[in-house]
Amino acid sequence: MSETAAQPQVETHTPKELVRQPLVLNNRPLGWITEQVAGIVEGKMPRWWNVAFTISFLVMMMCFTYIGYLILTGVGVWGLNHPVAWGWAIVNFVFWIGIGHAGTLISAILFLLRQKWRTSINRTAEAMTIFAVICAGIFPGIHVGRIWLAWWLLPLPNANSIWPQFRSPLLWDVFAVSTYFTVSLLFWYMGLIPDLATIRDRLRKNADKCTTGCEKLINKVKQYLYGIFSMGWIGSNRHWRNYEKAYLLLAGLSTPLVLSVHSIVSFDFAVSQLPGWHTTIFPPYFVAGAVFSGFGMVLTLMIPMRALFKLEEIITVRHLELMCKVIMATGTIVGYAYGMEFFIAWYGGNPYELYAFKNRAFGPYWWAYWIMISCNVISPQLFWFKWSRTTPWFIFVVSIFVNIGMWFERFVIVVTSLHRDYLPSSWGYYSPTQVDILTFVGTFGLFMVLFLLFVRYLPSICIFEVKGVTPQADPHAKEGGADKVEGGVH
Amino acid sequence: MKTPSKTGQIGNAAEAQYWRSIGESVGELEHPDWSDREFPEGASELSEDFSRRDFLKLMGASAGLAGAGMLGVGCRRPEEHIVPFGNEHSSGQEYVHGEPMYFATAMPTRMGAIPLVAESNEGRPTKVSGNPDCPATKGSTDGFAYASVLSLYDPDRARRYTKIGKEMSKSDTVLELKTLAGKEGRTAFLMPSANSPSRDRLIGKIKKRLGENADFYVHEAIDFCVHQRAATQAFGQSVVPNWKFAKADVVLSLDCDFLGNEEDSGLYASDFAKTRKLAKATDTMSRLYSVEALLTQTGANADHRLRANALKIGAVAVYLSAKLGMKTSDASEMLIKGLTDDQKQWLDACIEDLKGHKGKGLVVAGYRQPESVHVLVHQINGVLGNNGKTVEFLPASANDFKNLKDLSSDLGKFERVVNLGCNPVYDGGSDIDSKAIGDKTEFRLINFAQDESHSDSGINAPLAHYLESWGDARTSDGTIVSVQPLIAPLFDAMTELEVLAVFADPEDPQSAHTVVKDTFSGNDAAWQHYLHQGYQEGSALDPIPVEELELSQELPDIPYRQVPEGSLEVVFTRDYSVDDGRFANNGWCQEVPDPINKITWDNVMSISRKTASERKLNNGEMVRLELGDYEVEAPVWIQPGMADNTVSLPLGYGRTGKLRIANFKYEKRPLINNEFFGAEDVPVGGFNAYKVRTSGESNITTGIKLMSLGRTYPLSSTQEHWSMEGRPIVREATLEGFRKSEKKRAEELDKEGYSEKHFFPDNMGLGSHARNEGKIYQHPYKERPSLKSDMHQWGMSIDLNTCNGCNACVIACQSENNIPIVGKEQVAKGREMHWLRIDRYYTGRNHDPKASAGRIKDQGQNGDDEQHTEEWIDDPQVVNMPMACVHCESAPCESVCPVNATVHDSEGLNIMAYNRCVGTRYCSNNCAWKVRRFNYFDYNKRPLEKLYESPLTKPALFLDWLTDREKPSKREDEWDLLELARNPQVSVRMRGVMEKCDYCSSRIQSAKITKKVKAGSGGDVMLRDADLKTACQSACSADAITFGNLLDKESAVVSDKNNPRTYETLDFLDNGARTTYLAKVRNPNPKMPDAYTEPFSSGEYHPQEPHGGHDDNHAGQGKAEGGH
Amino acid sequence: MSNIFPKWTNRLPLILVVGGLVAGACVVAGVTYYFTPKYTRVGYQPIQPVSFSHKIHAGQMGIDCRYCHNDVDKSWYSNIPSAETCMKCHSTVLADDPRLEPIRRSFSENKPVPWVQIHKTPDYVYFNHAVHVNRGVSCVKCHGNVNEMDEVKHAKSHSMTFCLDCHRNPHENVRPQDEVFNLDWEPSAEWAAEREGQALVDQMKIRSSENCSACHR
Amino acid sequence: MSKPFAIMAEYETPAEIMAAAKKVHGEGYQKWDVHSPFPIHGMDDVMGLDNAKVGWFTFFGGLTGFVTGMVMIYFMNKFDYDVVVGGKPLFSGFYAFPVAYEMTILLGAFGSLGGMFILNRLPRHHHPLLANARFADVTDDKFYVVIECEDERYDENLTRTLLEGTGAQHIEMVEDAQ
């Protein structure tokens, strides 16, 4: 995609429809951006934040209560049984991991592709990634029968001389998910350093304005905290040079990481020999699905956020539209994958495989399958229409559908494949219990608590990067080289 | 992970409430920390030469050493000397602490006994198996025998002597009993049926002493004595028939479930199986015809099966006799008219076959049929020349006991009743005034503390289990077997013989031991020998030569009874799982799936599809069944293969006494439910069919009314789907097909046509065949040969032709491997723990699974919802397949385990190291056979109703938990008893751990150790067939399971693997299963109207073209013409 | 306005990194040493109710192990002798010694002597004494030189690693069957040179079993 | 007590500071720097800085990760305790790859971030510039050229003149408070 800076004098010569919307509307000065974003962190939180936080916190506590019950009682409190030994826990794990993919994808892949529109959304998306991975990480942990021994999955030397078994995709998962979490955290943190410095400096400037002792103390504590985490950043160009290089390298590492993580998650299924799981298309299909669901979740979070914090000029409709296009593209890939699975099941001539797919669509879980198809394949096709890509409330609704559909996709894969496999004698049926359902609901509480804390205490938009893509950031602007920075195909 | 006690343990008298600990002197043993032991342990008893004192100290020392007991359970040794069974395990050895001992004993049954070898660990009987040396049965058993061990430790067993509700001691009770025996007035003895020489002798003595003042009544709800009565009637002298299925080439069963719920079914299964084993194409096999109303195990294994109402069986017999040229009467013409033309044609062809096998055929009638039908069958066998050949007649003592109905009418004549273990209130029948009998009962031996007949009037005395009793019995061939106790009665209970001995001689009653010894009447050495081997040599009765028998030629009077138009007939039947209710409080029996309908924890009223649709009844629907003045509410089960207009009511359920397994109740759980909100009530325990059953010859009756109650009853079935879906899982051929050329046979049996052909595995799954060729990597056995043992490679072969689905292996496995029961609700969720299950599939003529595959089949509460409306289930063929871990060489479960908890050992075993398992359950998902079982809860620790409990659901538990973290999950008081049934050789798995069949790894290890200890520094350490049997293998009367060392060319398993019928399930997955199956072969008679050229499963199967695609339906012959 | 962080904080990161590495190394070393059976089990030497000396009985007097532990070659379990066994000699020898009072009391009152257990395998391990001592594995391999101990102590770690060390290298650990109960036997120079151990392994057909199923079932 | 640390000139736009940096570089200063709220495209060339060295850290981090992963798996699953698992080879690069790959990325990422910190001599919480009130705008919307007093070419007057010639709004000395 190419982007053209919209200079007034150029505009007159360019057909209107070819003119790109600027990434920050209304030609705002740099200081305005700082004020706008850092202001959220410094200001008092609105009432809705407190309400939302309280609710989220309670929901999160419910989640922990159910997890406590699970650990004290046994995995049997879930609806699992013998053909279906993995249920909601694994569905939720894959679901959250999938959501966690948009963040790093937006940050890393779009960075490598020089998609400058990423700057307004990458911070939030990365935060979402980290929180989603936290939510995801809970499930494989608690789903094991003896959670207190889960550390046996780590390759630690021990007096038993026994090691983990590295042929297991679950162990790959351990490495992939923990690496993904760590690298995402590093990547996110690295991006935060200059912005934390911004807040540190603003606190420094505002220290004099503090009147009461309490305010002064808070200012001081915050200065220390933001100071420590900003690592003494002074915006030096010699630092920027290494910083940008490191950021580029991290992006370069994160991109294959993103692709590998969901590929490895898909190996949990693809490496098995279960009809419906044993499918070579899974890695790309899962990655596309992850991107799809991740962007869905980014939109779900960002549309209310930009309205609530009045960030429409930074997170513009153009940003939303571009994300809708990604959703449409990945949704189509996912739809293709669904079709391809069926085709191969038929063409491959394995009756077990064919039955597994027939059973998905027309077996006892037909409803899950058709919810998945409607939400994942049909609903994103609405984005062919410009109106639907540019109407935030509508996008919001579709993004919710995408989230639902992607959850059901994992449900369909995990449960319908397991419940009827090779021997009809062991066929069964799985339905979740209260504990299954409310634990999953509870993770949304955890997610929202983390997210609300994030918007409360950290700049939710990458200030320095947004500044970097404004027209006035172009050092050649006054020398007439307007197009050099923003324009051109990279 | 905890194991059952390995160290012997001394009891603490202060805490052992149910029985005295071993010597009161050690009772005060200190009680230090025992937190890491899971449950108390029994101390041992000894063989004779071991000094009691030394033993006590030994036990004490080990107790102190190990840290002493949590809850003392000292099992007293019996006072009389018992003699260990002589086999290689312990032959001639003294008691060695920690090593199991084996004793020969026998489980008495109604008409005989099953000779057993019982294993005792530290004084606790933990496992039985058939006594292979006993010529009467040669080791055959049934599932009930295996389950009986658990009944010994039943926490609901009676444990107190009471008089009018007041507790007293055993010695006082004996005094009371002596007084009773000396009292004036007539005494009626109400006894269960038994075939015991000692009992007969005592009865004789009592009759002699009391004369008219004593009369004996025998009550059994299921009356197997009909065989003897009918034979006696037919031959005019007291004889009992003894079927010799091993000699029969053609068998016709008239409602006779000799493979299932006839007594001695284990023996019959064993004999019958001998005629069904095919090692090569030229071998012959027998043919089984079955005419029956219910789908029984026998019918399920029949080559030809005719559905007929149970009432019509008499007509069938009459028709056959007419066809054989026996004289008929007008009445018989009437009967014959009741048969349809189809039925007549079927019978015509069948009788031709029987005629062609004179002297080699056998017609048998089942216990449900009236005496007259049995008499006619004897006559038919007479005409066919079978008497004396395939059925022998043994002399029998006249069985002239009166029954409960007689007692009820004679009651006025008696001053008192002495009840020796009957429960007439429960199973007496609806027309018996059991209460009146109960009121007159002055002494009763009670099995359960509070069963239905419980009353505080008179004296109650706990009845001893056979594993704690002295006794004897005659098996069906007359062999006298000894019943010797392995453990002193847990609750100081009494045996029947002890009570009778008091009545025989109130002045100086003999002990049961003396009674039995006196009956034996041999010298001490002979007695020792008798106890040692468990049977009296040469005591088998000689059959009466057929020439000496005079067969009555008079046509028996078979009543003309028809199912009235628009009505239904009712068939009461012995339940496959709980017998007549005697095993209802046995968790293993409750949880073992019914061999036919696979339902656990409940009985169901089975009806046919057609009857159900006529009456608009759904599967699981509750109906009220009215029969005369009586009624019962029962769930409907649409059973494939049921005769139309027949209703079956299995007996033995619906217990109302304080039997906490049979009468199990789930606590309401406010927080956690399967349904999202709202507590679900899960009723357990079935319905009591005795409520509508009258006494006497009342197994079949008519005149019922059914009324739907409009609600559905939740049933827990272990197999919800009936069809094999056209998959080549159980492979079958007709005998003719099997005899075709090898190539043809391969085509017929190798169903996974699109995969590499290895129907005839070139070398039996030894990991050395072509499996590795053309692959990018080598099997590690090849890559590093040191990882593969060159001495032992284990393998198993299961013969689907002889397996009849009897479940004995399932219970034996449960007993051997400490497999917990999980309760009805958990079974409903699909969490049963049986390592070995028996899959049962129905296949239908002209059934095309493809036609219905992919149709929306909603999941009902009781399984897949639409299968029971499909027509093909009316006359299905049935296949059974025992399924446990098949020990794949390239095991898919192993490669997905992240912690190396399930791996291969060098001998080809797929091992579960429980203590390494973290419980990801991935292995289960990746197992194509779904044979892995996960401990979703602490099934071994928690009572069934408390599985979902935690401090978070019951805050009071939180305080307990703070003080004692084990407490919330501890069993309560007497439930600990059940833990004594555990096998100390196998770990007890905790929650969160996966488990599965390990080929009885503990037995393999024990056998290897025994062999190595014997070998010393020598090298004779390779195990042979004789050294080792798996639990299921030793349980299989039909000899369907062979297990052994594949590297031992002389082992049975190697020859089975070379059997042309061998195939591997799901072989296209190329996992290399070590358990292979021998394909089932059916032997249809081509002249029969329902003949088939290939088994129905072949018709369902649609061969798949290698390249898949469009028109792949042209191969398989006899494929379905359109679906339904 | 001034720096809120003093100048020394600039050195802090390096200190933290180095300090963290050192601390981590210490923790690893500590856990490896203190939290493994080699430390937690070896040396355990409880006070027994009777100060029975293996050194005197097994060492100086040369009583065979099996005189008291008479089931060791028959059962998985090596029994602790009852007081009766002690009294076989001590009814005459040291018949009135006050140190033997618990034994005499046990003998007369039928009460066990509360010995304290020293060697204990977890419940999930099925160790079998009989198969080891009948197949050339000496007591000393697992219990150390008990014949030199006054009070018995835990001499070897009995960790899974410990078991595996022997199971992986049987030829280094077997001895002639008649030397099994001779705790002082040491392989001679020729023994090693002649590869006698390997010969024994071959003769007895010992397979070095690292199978899980060998011990866990 | 404090001593002069550097001379600092403030600019409003990237273009201004670009020009200024060009001049300062042209004068041959070594110990000087440009401070900006965001990285300015082309500034490295103007300042005459060569390619950043972070990549080496990433490379060696990643290499370590990959080798560690492979060796660890070889050691654990083939060398130290060889167990027959699922008929799969004792060691194969295929099954070891996912883990080794993740380790590559993990240690590569540590290398990148760590390398950045090491090369930048960060974290450095105490810095004379951080004590400067005016400099606080560097993370907002102002641009600075800072020439350290320790530079060989530094001369208080000449340098100030030079900076004044670049059109700086504001020039001041930064003190290093001890």
Side-chain angles (χ1 to χ4, degrees), chain A residues 69 71 78 80-81 85 143 168 268 273 349 362 421-422 425 434, chain B residues 671 727 829 831 839 854 856 896 917 920-922 926 948 991 1104:
Chain A
Y69 174 63
I71 292 170
W78 288 342
L80 304 172
N81 53 36
H143 102 289
S168 170
D268 285 350
Q273 61 173 12
F362 305 111
D421 67 339
Y422 289 100
S425 63
Q434 200 179 328
Chain B
L671 187 61
R727 299 177 177 185
K829 286 200 172 193
R831 295 178 183 168
D839 293 345
I856 292 177
V896 298
C917 177
T920 68
R921 304 184 295 288
Y922 197 175
N926 207 23
Y948 285 84
R991 83 170 149 101
Q1104 197 79 18

Short mmCIF file of all heavy atoms in Angstrom, two decimals, chain A residues 69 71 78 80-81 85 143 168 268 273 349 362 421-422 425 434, chain B residues 671 727 829 831 839 854 856 896 917 920-922 926 948 991 1104:
data_model
loop_
_atom_site.label_atom_id
_atom_site.label_comp_id
_atom_site.label_asym_id
_atom_site.label_seq_id
_atom_site.Cartn_x
_atom_site.Cartn_y
_atom_site.Cartn_z
N TYR A 69 -11.86 -23.62 42.74
CA TYR A 69 -12.74 -24.78 42.90
C TYR A 69 -12.24 -25.93 42.04
O TYR A 69 -12.17 -27.08 42.49
CB TYR A 69 -14.16 -24.37 42.52
CG TYR A 69 -15.14 -25.52 42.49
CD1 TYR A 69 -15.42 -26.24 43.65
CD2 TYR A 69 -15.78 -25.88 41.33
CE1 TYR A 69 -16.31 -27.29 43.64
CE2 TYR A 69 -16.68 -26.93 41.30
CZ TYR A 69 -16.94 -27.64 42.46
OH TYR A 69 -17.81 -28.68 42.43
N ILE A 71 -9.23 -26.50 41.01
CA ILE A 71 -7.97 -27.08 41.48
C ILE A 71 -8.22 -27.91 42.73
O ILE A 71 -7.62 -28.96 42.92
CB ILE A 71 -6.94 -25.96 41.73
CG1 ILE A 71 -6.53 -25.34 40.40
CG2 ILE A 71 -5.72 -26.49 42.47
CD1 ILE A 71 -5.72 -24.08 40.52
N TRP A 78 -15.46 -29.75 35.08
CA TRP A 78 -15.79 -29.34 33.72
C TRP A 78 -16.60 -30.47 33.06
O TRP A 78 -16.75 -31.54 33.61
CB TRP A 78 -14.51 -29.10 32.91
CG TRP A 78 -13.78 -27.86 33.30
CD1 TRP A 78 -14.30 -26.81 34.00
CD2 TRP A 78 -12.43 -27.53 33.03
NE1 TRP A 78 -13.34 -25.85 34.18
CE2 TRP A 78 -12.19 -26.26 33.59
CE3 TRP A 78 -11.40 -28.18 32.36
CZ2 TRP A 78 -10.96 -25.63 33.50
CZ3 TRP A 78 -10.17 -27.55 32.27
CH2 TRP A 78 -9.95 -26.29 32.83
N LEU A 80 -15.87 -32.35 30.66
CA LEU A 80 -15.08 -33.26 29.83
C LEU A 80 -15.46 -34.72 30.08
O LEU A 80 -15.97 -35.07 31.12
CB LEU A 80 -13.60 -33.09 30.15
CG LEU A 80 -13.08 -31.67 29.98
CD1 LEU A 80 -11.67 -31.57 30.51
CD2 LEU A 80 -13.12 -31.28 28.53
N ASN A 81 -15.17 -35.55 29.11
CA ASN A 81 -15.43 -36.97 29.29
C ASN A 81 -14.44 -37.77 28.47
O ASN A 81 -13.39 -37.25 28.09
CB ASN A 81 -16.87 -37.29 28.91
CG ASN A 81 -17.22 -36.79 27.55
OD1 ASN A 81 -16.40 -36.81 26.64
ND2 ASN A 81 -18.44 -36.32 27.39
N ALA A 85 -11.76 -35.21 25.67
CA ALA A 85 -10.92 -34.92 26.83
C ALA A 85 -10.42 -33.48 26.84
O ALA A 85 -9.84 -33.04 27.82
CB ALA A 85 -9.74 -35.89 26.86
N HIS A 143 -5.86 -26.65 32.95
CA HIS A 143 -6.57 -27.81 32.42
C HIS A 143 -5.87 -29.11 32.72
O HIS A 143 -6.45 -30.17 32.59
CB HIS A 143 -6.83 -27.65 30.92
CG HIS A 143 -5.90 -28.45 30.05
ND1 HIS A 143 -4.58 -28.13 29.91
CD2 HIS A 143 -6.08 -29.55 29.32
CE1 HIS A 143 -4.01 -28.99 29.12
NE2 HIS A 143 -4.89 -29.89 28.74
N SER A 168 6.33 -33.82 21.79
CA SER A 168 4.95 -33.43 22.04
C SER A 168 4.70 -31.98 21.66
O SER A 168 5.40 -31.07 22.11
CB SER A 168 4.62 -33.60 23.52
OG SER A 168 3.38 -33.01 23.79
N ASP A 268 -0.89 -28.75 17.74
CA ASP A 268 -1.57 -29.53 18.78
C ASP A 268 -2.61 -30.43 18.15
O ASP A 268 -2.88 -31.52 18.63
CB ASP A 268 -2.28 -28.60 19.78
CG ASP A 268 -1.31 -27.92 20.72
OD1 ASP A 268 -0.14 -28.31 20.72
OD2 ASP A 268 -1.74 -27.00 21.44
N GLN A 273 -3.63 -37.82 15.19
CA GLN A 273 -4.12 -38.64 14.08
C GLN A 273 -5.65 -38.68 14.07
O GLN A 273 -6.24 -39.57 13.51
CB GLN A 273 -3.55 -40.05 14.19
CG GLN A 273 -3.93 -40.78 15.47
CD GLN A 273 -3.50 -42.22 15.46
OE1 GLN A 273 -2.73 -42.64 14.61
NE2 GLN A 273 -3.98 -43.00 16.39
N GLY A 349 -10.58 -39.44 0.23
CA GLY A 349 -11.15 -40.77 0.19
C GLY A 349 -11.04 -41.53 1.49
O GLY A 349 -11.24 -42.73 1.52
N PHE A 362 -23.48 -31.63 9.88
CA PHE A 362 -24.84 -32.17 10.01
C PHE A 362 -25.02 -33.06 11.23
O PHE A 362 -26.05 -33.69 11.40
CB PHE A 362 -25.20 -32.96 8.75
CG PHE A 362 -25.04 -32.15 7.49
CD1 PHE A 362 -24.03 -32.44 6.58
CD2 PHE A 362 -25.87 -31.07 7.24
CE1 PHE A 362 -23.87 -31.68 5.44
CE2 PHE A 362 -25.72 -30.32 6.09
CZ PHE A 362 -24.71 -30.61 5.20
N ASP A 421 -15.00 -40.16 16.82
CA ASP A 421 -13.79 -40.43 16.04
C ASP A 421 -13.85 -41.83 15.43
O ASP A 421 -14.86 -42.16 14.82
CB ASP A 421 -12.53 -40.18 16.88
CG ASP A 421 -12.38 -41.15 18.03
OD1 ASP A 421 -13.40 -41.73 18.42
OD2 ASP A 421 -11.26 -41.34 18.51
N TYR A 422 -12.83 -42.61 15.65
CA TYR A 422 -12.74 -43.85 14.87
C TYR A 422 -13.78 -44.90 15.22
O TYR A 422 -14.47 -45.42 14.37
CB TYR A 422 -11.34 -44.45 15.02
CG TYR A 422 -10.29 -43.65 14.30
CD1 TYR A 422 -9.47 -42.76 14.98
CD2 TYR A 422 -10.13 -43.77 12.93
CE1 TYR A 422 -8.52 -42.02 14.31
CE2 TYR A 422 -9.18 -43.04 12.26
CZ TYR A 422 -8.38 -42.17 12.95
OH TYR A 422 -7.45 -41.44 12.28
N SER A 425 -18.16 -47.06 19.01
CA SER A 425 -18.50 -47.46 20.38
C SER A 425 -18.14 -46.39 21.38
O SER A 425 -18.76 -46.28 22.42
CB SER A 425 -17.74 -48.73 20.72
OG SER A 425 -16.36 -48.49 20.69
N GLN A 434 -21.43 -25.23 34.27
CA GLN A 434 -21.36 -23.89 34.81
C GLN A 434 -19.91 -23.43 35.00
O GLN A 434 -19.57 -22.29 34.71
CB GLN A 434 -22.05 -23.97 36.16
CG GLN A 434 -22.52 -22.71 36.74
CD GLN A 434 -23.20 -23.03 38.08
OE1 GLN A 434 -23.79 -24.10 38.25
NE2 GLN A 434 -23.10 -22.13 39.00
N LEU B 671 -24.29 -25.70 43.51
CA LEU B 671 -23.41 -24.84 42.72
C LEU B 671 -23.08 -25.40 41.34
O LEU B 671 -23.16 -24.70 40.34
CB LEU B 671 -22.11 -24.61 43.50
CG LEU B 671 -21.17 -23.59 42.86
CD1 LEU B 671 -21.83 -22.23 42.78
CD2 LEU B 671 -19.90 -23.49 43.65
N ARG B 727 -17.92 -49.28 9.17
CA ARG B 727 -16.46 -49.27 9.31
C ARG B 727 -15.97 -50.69 9.58
O ARG B 727 -16.61 -51.44 10.31
CB ARG B 727 -16.06 -48.35 10.46
CG ARG B 727 -16.48 -46.93 10.19
CD ARG B 727 -16.16 -46.00 11.33
NE ARG B 727 -16.55 -44.64 10.94
CZ ARG B 727 -16.31 -43.57 11.67
NH1 ARG B 727 -15.71 -43.67 12.83
NH2 ARG B 727 -16.69 -42.39 11.24
N LYS B 829 -21.80 -39.12 31.88
CA LYS B 829 -20.93 -38.14 31.25
C LYS B 829 -19.88 -38.80 30.39
O LYS B 829 -19.14 -38.11 29.69
CB LYS B 829 -20.21 -37.33 32.34
CG LYS B 829 -21.13 -36.36 33.01
CD LYS B 829 -20.34 -35.28 33.70
CE LYS B 829 -21.29 -34.23 34.18
NZ LYS B 829 -20.64 -33.01 34.58
N ARG B 831 -17.48 -41.04 31.74
CA ARG B 831 -16.21 -41.08 32.48
C ARG B 831 -15.97 -42.42 33.15
O ARG B 831 -15.28 -42.50 34.16
CB ARG B 831 -16.20 -39.98 33.54
CG ARG B 831 -16.22 -38.61 32.94
CD ARG B 831 -16.26 -37.58 34.04
NE ARG B 831 -16.34 -36.22 33.49
CZ ARG B 831 -16.63 -35.17 34.21
NH1 ARG B 831 -16.88 -35.29 35.49
NH2 ARG B 831 -16.68 -33.98 33.66
N ASP B 839 -17.12 -53.65 23.36
CA ASP B 839 -17.94 -52.91 22.39
C ASP B 839 -18.93 -53.87 21.77
O ASP B 839 -18.59 -54.99 21.41
CB ASP B 839 -17.05 -52.32 21.29
CG ASP B 839 -16.15 -51.24 21.84
OD1 ASP B 839 -16.41 -50.78 22.96
OD2 ASP B 839 -15.19 -50.87 21.15
N GLY B 854 -24.21 -38.32 8.28
CA GLY B 854 -24.24 -36.92 7.94
C GLY B 854 -25.61 -36.31 8.09
O GLY B 854 -25.78 -35.13 7.80
N ILE B 856 -28.53 -34.90 10.44
CA ILE B 856 -28.46 -34.33 11.77
C ILE B 856 -29.02 -35.33 12.76
O ILE B 856 -30.16 -35.75 12.66
CB ILE B 856 -29.25 -33.01 11.84
CG1 ILE B 856 -28.52 -31.96 11.01
CG2 ILE B 856 -29.40 -32.55 13.28
CD1 ILE B 856 -29.22 -30.65 10.93
N VAL B 896 2.70 -37.57 22.01
CA VAL B 896 2.12 -36.28 22.38
C VAL B 896 2.21 -36.00 23.87
O VAL B 896 1.78 -34.93 24.32
CB VAL B 896 0.65 -36.18 21.92
CG1 VAL B 896 0.55 -36.26 20.42
CG2 VAL B 896 -0.23 -37.22 22.57
N CYS B 917 2.58 -38.62 35.41
CA CYS B 917 1.53 -38.01 34.59
C CYS B 917 1.07 -36.70 35.21
O CYS B 917 0.80 -36.63 36.40
CB CYS B 917 0.35 -38.99 34.49
SG CYS B 917 -1.04 -38.33 33.58
N THR B 920 -2.49 -34.03 31.00
CA THR B 920 -2.90 -33.15 29.91
C THR B 920 -4.03 -33.76 29.08
O THR B 920 -4.69 -33.06 28.34
CB THR B 920 -1.75 -32.86 28.94
OG1 THR B 920 -1.42 -34.05 28.25
CG2 THR B 920 -0.54 -32.34 29.67
N ARG B 921 -4.20 -35.08 29.17
CA ARG B 921 -5.24 -35.83 28.46
C ARG B 921 -5.03 -35.83 26.94
O ARG B 921 -5.89 -36.27 26.20
CB ARG B 921 -6.64 -35.29 28.78
CG ARG B 921 -6.94 -35.28 30.24
CD ARG B 921 -8.34 -34.85 30.52
NE ARG B 921 -8.61 -33.51 30.14
CZ ARG B 921 -8.17 -32.45 30.78
NH1 ARG B 921 -7.44 -32.59 31.86
NH2 ARG B 921 -8.45 -31.23 30.38
N TYR B 922 -3.91 -35.33 26.49
CA TYR B 922 -3.66 -35.29 25.05
C TYR B 922 -3.58 -36.72 24.51
O TYR B 922 -4.06 -37.01 23.41
CB TYR B 922 -2.34 -34.55 24.83
CG TYR B 922 -2.07 -34.05 23.42
CD1 TYR B 922 -0.95 -33.29 23.16
CD2 TYR B 922 -2.95 -34.33 22.37
CE1 TYR B 922 -0.68 -32.81 21.90
CE2 TYR B 922 -2.69 -33.86 21.11
CZ TYR B 922 -1.55 -33.10 20.86
OH TYR B 922 -1.28 -32.63 19.61
N ASN B 926 -5.50 -38.47 21.27
CA ASN B 926 -4.79 -38.98 20.11
C ASN B 926 -4.91 -40.49 19.98
O ASN B 926 -4.35 -41.07 19.07
CB ASN B 926 -3.31 -38.57 20.16
CG ASN B 926 -2.70 -38.45 18.80
OD1 ASN B 926 -3.42 -38.26 17.81
ND2 ASN B 926 -1.40 -38.58 18.71
N TYR B 948 -18.07 -33.85 43.77
CA TYR B 948 -18.03 -32.44 43.40
C TYR B 948 -17.82 -31.53 44.59
O TYR B 948 -17.86 -30.33 44.46
CB TYR B 948 -19.35 -32.05 42.71
CG TYR B 948 -19.45 -32.56 41.29
CD1 TYR B 948 -19.87 -33.84 41.02
CD2 TYR B 948 -19.12 -31.73 40.23
CE1 TYR B 948 -19.97 -34.30 39.73
CE2 TYR B 948 -19.21 -32.18 38.93
CZ TYR B 948 -19.64 -33.47 38.68
OH TYR B 948 -19.73 -33.91 37.39
N ARG B 991 -6.44 -38.44 41.44
CA ARG B 991 -7.12 -37.63 40.43
C ARG B 991 -6.10 -36.92 39.55
O ARG B 991 -4.98 -36.64 39.99
CB ARG B 991 -8.04 -36.63 41.09
CG ARG B 991 -7.39 -35.37 41.58
CD ARG B 991 -8.45 -34.38 41.98
NE ARG B 991 -8.06 -33.51 43.03
CZ ARG B 991 -7.66 -32.25 42.83
NH1 ARG B 991 -7.61 -31.77 41.62
NH2 ARG B 991 -7.32 -31.49 43.83
N GLN B 1104 -13.60 -48.38 -0.01
CA GLN B 1104 -13.21 -47.05 -0.45
C GLN B 1104 -12.18 -47.19 -1.55
O GLN B 1104 -11.24 -47.96 -1.42
CB GLN B 1104 -12.62 -46.29 0.73
CG GLN B 1104 -12.55 -44.82 0.54
CD GLN B 1104 -13.89 -44.17 0.76
OE1 GLN B 1104 -14.76 -44.74 1.36
NE2 GLN B 1104 -14.06 -42.95 0.25
#
